[in-house]
């Protein structure tokens, strides 16, 4: 895991020093500041994730520092260090965005615990919730594909985007472009100026998911120190993307169903019914019908969600799209890495088309990125493809890649002669079978047989 960076702000040298030692021992990166002014400057330079901020500082005080830090980075976790009995101060700072507080004098164990808890929670939030308030100017993402399958999908998406049909269910294997479809629908629709909010239902524990989606009122549960809007409220007018919906726990499914029925909800601990206008796009790589049979997914929720169903075919079922996608990614990554790669060698093309792409488009994208980084030629070559692609393709190509040129060099005619000989032996001298093994036409093969004296 990434090492989190922590900034310690205290005017007492000894406290700074002991906190620094202690936090470093636990594997954090640490920087320190003795005044509020220094802290603000350092926050810009070092971009810490968490700040331990003393309230009583010479110069500008803790509360003001807190506000300035939050202006620099709204997500920054600030833990206030306050004097004993300063509960009112502490509460006030939390109102201004401090994550938590701790009283002075504190012991180091207590401090470590508060720090770890804060970092864990924020890590989780960052992983699962991606709030995107990008604006229309970015436009819908480009969706590549010319196969019949993809044409159908594109046509469907265009219709959905224009209509006000509110719920869409996207199904497809991992890496087939489900999230891309969700974004496309959002940015092509009249909702484009409003937020697109994504949450991964599989990565969030059920209890947390409920408060992420619906929000909560202050005091609704132990950790609810302030009231918070949920994603449905934040996305009002826009689109909520519920990823991995097939992993949603049954209790939560019931709550979601209730929300979908009348589009209003209560925050956890709240009494007011809040109406919102959101389009729900959900996605899964699970077979939901089977999940229904297994009683892990609610039948009624399934029908609510899939008012418009979109199925994304696996890449191996639309091989026509492979080279188009590959060329698209070559263009993207060549630009990104400043390379001049344009086309694909015919051997590499063949391998890309033959491979069955269990990781679908994401895998193809990664493979091309790697090849562009490794390659130095104007065309993308077979040797820059990963071994599993070379090995899983037709066997003819395997010896070529495992064959190593000896350091002292070799006469290429000799290699050719040896291959002709082996292919003949392997096929009991059946010329057309032997020719096939070398991917040669029968005439070309017989020409070589003659050349090397196997045929008079
Ligand atoms: N038709 C397409 N044209 C261009 N890029 C695509 C296309 N489909 C997918 N991609 C790209 O492939 C990657 C994987 O797509 P995406 O994240 O949407 O897949 P997913 O179905 O949500 O996968 P998972 O189930 O693993 O979450 C992304 O980088 C996306 O931009
Ligand atoms: Mg996805």
């Amino acid at each position: 895991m990434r090492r989190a960076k922590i900034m310690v702000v205290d005017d007492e040298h000894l406290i700074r020093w002991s906190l620094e030692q202690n936090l470093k021992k636990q594997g954090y990166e640490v920087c320190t500041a003795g005044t509020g002014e220094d802290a603000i400057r350092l926050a810009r330079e070092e971009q810490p994730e968490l700040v331990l901020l003393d309230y009583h500082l010479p110069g500008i005080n803790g509360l003001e520092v807190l506000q300035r830090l939050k202006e620099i980075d709204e997500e920054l976790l600030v833990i206030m260090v306050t004097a004993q009995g300063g509960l009112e101060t502490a509460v006030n700072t939390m109102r201004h965005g401090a994550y938590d507080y701790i009283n002075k004098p504190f012991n180091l164990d207590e401090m470590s615990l508060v720090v770890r808890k804060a970092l864990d929670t924020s890590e989780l939030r960052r992983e699962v919730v991606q709030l995107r308030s990008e604006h229309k100017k970015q436009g819908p993402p480009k969706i590549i594909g010319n196969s019949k399958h993809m044409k159908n999908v594109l046509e469907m998406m265009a219709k959905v985007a224009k209509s006000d049909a509110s719920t869409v269910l996207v199904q497809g294997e991992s890496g087939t472009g489900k999230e891309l479809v969700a974004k496309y629908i959002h940015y092509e629709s009249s909702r484009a100026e409003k937020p697109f909010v994504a949450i991964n239902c599989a990565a969030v524990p059920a209890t947390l998911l409920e408060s992420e989606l619906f929000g909560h009122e202050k005091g609704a549960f132990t950790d609810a120190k302030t009231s918070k809007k949920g994603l449905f409220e934040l996305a009002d007018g826009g689109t909520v993307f519920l990823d991995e919906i097939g992993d949603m726990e049954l209790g939560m499914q019931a709550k979601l169903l209730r929300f979908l029925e009348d589009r209003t909800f209560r925050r956890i601990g709240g009494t007011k019914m809040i109406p919102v206008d959101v389009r729900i796009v959900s996605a899964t790589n699970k077979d939901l019908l089977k999940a229904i049979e297994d009683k892990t997914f609610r039948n009624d929720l399934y029908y609510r969600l899939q008012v418009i169903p979109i199925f994304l075919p696996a890449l191996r079922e639309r091989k026509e799209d492979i080279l188009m996608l590959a060329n698209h990614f070559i263009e993207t990554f060549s630009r990104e890495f400043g390379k001049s790669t344009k086309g694909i060698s015919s051997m590499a093309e063949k391998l890309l088309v033959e491979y069955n792409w269990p990781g679908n488009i994401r895998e193809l994208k990664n493979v091309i990125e790697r090849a562009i980084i490794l390659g130095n030629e104007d065309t993308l070559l077979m040797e820059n493809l990963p071994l599993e692609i070379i090995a899983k393709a037709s066997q003819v190509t395997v010896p070529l890649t495992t064959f190593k040129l000896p350091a002292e060099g070799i006469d290429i005619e000799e290699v050719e002669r040896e291959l002709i000989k082996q292919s003949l032996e392997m096929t009991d001298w059946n010329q057309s079978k032997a020719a096939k093994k070398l991917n040669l036409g029968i005439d070309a093969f017989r020409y070589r047989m003659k050349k090397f004296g196997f045929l008079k």
Side-chain angles (χ1 to χ4, degrees):
M1 211 177 95
R2 191 174 41 90
R3 292 172 45 165
K5 190 183 275 180
I6 299 178
M7 176 163 78
V8 175
V9 189
D10 202 302
D11 56 332
E12 277 179 63
H13 177 73
L14 196 61
I15 294 190
R16 280 203 307 273
W17 182 83
S18 70
L19 279 173
E20 183 177 7
Q21 296 310 311
N22 182 268
L23 292 168
K24 275 190 175 156
K25 220 184 296 160
Q26 294 175 49
Y28 299 115
E29 267 187 68
V30 184
C31 57
T32 64
T35 63
E37 288 82 354
D38 274 356
I40 291 159
R41 186 180 46 76
L42 213 59
R44 280 210 186 83
E45 281 166 20
E46 300 276 340
Q47 302 181 337
E49 269 122 318
L50 184 145
V51 179
L52 289 171
L53 177 59
D54 188 22
Y55 188 84
H56 291 286
L57 289 168
I60 51 176
N61 75 13
L63 185 61
E64 203 181 328
V65 179
L66 167 69
Q67 286 166 330
R68 301 272 293 276
L69 290 176
K70 283 284 181 182
E71 277 163 23
I72 298 173
D73 176 5
E74 209 186 335
E75 299 280 295
L76 184 62
L77 296 166
V78 180
I79 296 175
M80 293 304 295
V81 182
T82 50
Q84 190 88 47
L87 187 61
E88 216 172 297
T89 323
V91 171
N92 193 28
T93 59
M94 297 209 15
R95 216 169 276 141
H96 284 92
Y99 178 80
D100 207 343
Y101 68 92
I102 187 162
N103 279 328
K104 244 180 179 173
F106 48 81
N107 73 32
L108 288 173
D109 287 345
E110 187 189 356
M111 173 62 85
S112 311
L113 201 68
V114 174
V115 166
R116 213 191 43 234
K117 211 178 110 224
L119 286 171
D120 281 355
T121 316
S122 91
E123 181 81 16
L124 192 60
R125 274 189 73 96
R126 206 163 339 156
E127 262 170 29
V128 296
V129 184
Q130 293 169 39
L131 245 186
R132 299 190 198 81
S133 46
E134 304 146 2
H135 291 293
K136 175 102 182 175
K137 62 178 181 305
Q138 119 176 10
K142 217 171 171 173
I143 298 196
I144 308 291
N146 214 0
S147 59
K148 201 165 145 264
H149 273 313
M150 274 319 277
K151 276 191 188 144
N152 285 340
V153 170
L154 280 163
E155 217 172 275
M156 186 80 155
M157 283 193 308
K159 270 191 212 152
V160 173
K162 287 208 180 65
S163 83
D164 213 34
S166 54
T167 31
V168 182
L169 175 64
V170 192
Q171 289 166 274
E173 286 180 16
S174 176
T176 45
K178 297 186 290 296
E179 180 154 0
L180 199 69
V181 165
K183 281 190 195 160
Y184 182 91
I185 292 175
H186 173 74
Y187 287 108
E188 270 291 284
S189 75
S190 57
R191 299 173 177 271
E193 309 268 346
K194 298 289 175 139
F196 173 84
V197 172
I199 184 161
N200 184 332
C201 304
V204 201
T207 47
L208 192 55
L209 185 60
E210 187 181 354
S211 91
E212 287 297 343
L213 292 180
F214 299 118
H216 58 71
E217 294 297 345
K218 186 171 163 183
F221 44 85
T222 330
D223 276 349
K225 294 188 174 120
T226 51
S227 65
K228 199 187 82 182
K229 284 187 181 174
L231 297 186
F232 287 139
E233 238 176 306
L234 292 171
D236 197 10
T239 306
V240 174
F241 177 50
L242 299 175
D243 205 0
E244 318 264 10
I245 187 94
D247 293 291
M248 189 180 270
E249 175 265 350
L250 277 168
M252 192 59 223
Q253 289 178 28
K255 288 173 184 152
L256 177 62
L257 181 65
R258 213 169 312 136
F259 166 70
L260 290 175
E261 271 163 2
D262 46 17
R263 305 269 160 178
T264 55
F265 64 94
R266 288 193 187 96
R267 292 188 191 160
I268 302 177
T271 50
K272 202 172 70 182
M273 292 299 285
I274 304 174
V276 289
D277 164 29
V278 287
R279 166 180 270 158
I280 306 284
V281 179
S282 42
T284 181
N285 53 25
K286 287 209 167 142
D287 180 349
L288 287 185
L289 290 175
K290 181 159 179 307
I292 291 171
E293 245 170 57
D294 296 344
K295 306 237 181 309
T296 56
F297 204 85
R298 291 181 67 120
N299 200 22
D300 43 7
L301 179 60
Y302 175 73
Y303 288 105
R304 272 280 166 194
L305 289 174
Q306 65 128 20
V307 175
I308 312 276
I310 294 184
F311 288 93
L312 283 176
L315 189 52
R316 66 185 163 280
E317 290 158 16
R318 43 171 155 143
K319 283 187 176 289
E320 314 92 283
D321 288 342
I322 293 177
L323 292 179
M324 194 174 178
L325 280 159
N327 279 308
H328 166 71
F329 294 134
I330 288 178
E331 212 185 293
T332 315
F333 290 117
S334 287
R335 206 178 314 123
E336 186 174 336
F337 300 116
K339 301 269 184 149
S340 56
T341 316
K342 282 192 187 70
I344 313 176
S345 80
S346 59
M347 205 58 176
E349 269 189 353
K350 189 162 169 281
L351 289 176
L352 291 175
V353 175
E354 264 179 39
Y355 185 62
N356 81 333
W357 301 107
N360 294 296
I361 300 172
R362 174 170 306 112
E363 186 182 9
L364 175 62
K365 190 172 174 182
N366 292 342
V367 162
I368 300 291
E369 180 177 9
R370 176 180 181 276
I372 297 288
I373 293 173
L374 294 179
N376 274 322
E377 313 287 329
D378 283 347
T379 40
L380 189 140
L381 302 177
M382 174 178 101
E383 64 199 53
N384 294 321
L385 297 177
L387 261 184
E388 68 262 25
I389 292 189
I390 298 171
K392 277 193 190 146
S394 74
Q395 295 196 335
V396 194
T397 57
V398 176
L400 282 177
T401 57
T402 48
F403 179 83
K404 270 255 165 292
L405 179 64
E408 66 279 10
I410 197 166
D411 184 345
I412 196 159
E413 301 253 301
E414 213 177 282
V415 178
E416 221 180 322
R417 181 177 196 283
E418 183 61 26
L419 287 174
I420 302 281
K421 182 169 150 252
Q422 285 191 24
S423 66
L424 285 165
E425 283 168 1
M426 213 177 268
T427 55
D428 281 333
W429 289 73
N430 178 325
Q431 292 180 17
S432 60
K433 278 188 189 163
K436 266 215 187 92
K437 287 224 176 286
L438 297 180
N439 196 23
L440 288 172
I442 188 69
D443 291 337
F445 186 77
R446 284 176 64 86
Y447 164 79
R448 284 176 175 76
M449 281 182 74
K450 262 192 204 134
K451 176 166 141 195
F452 297 119
F454 295 115
L455 202 67
K456 291 259 149 41

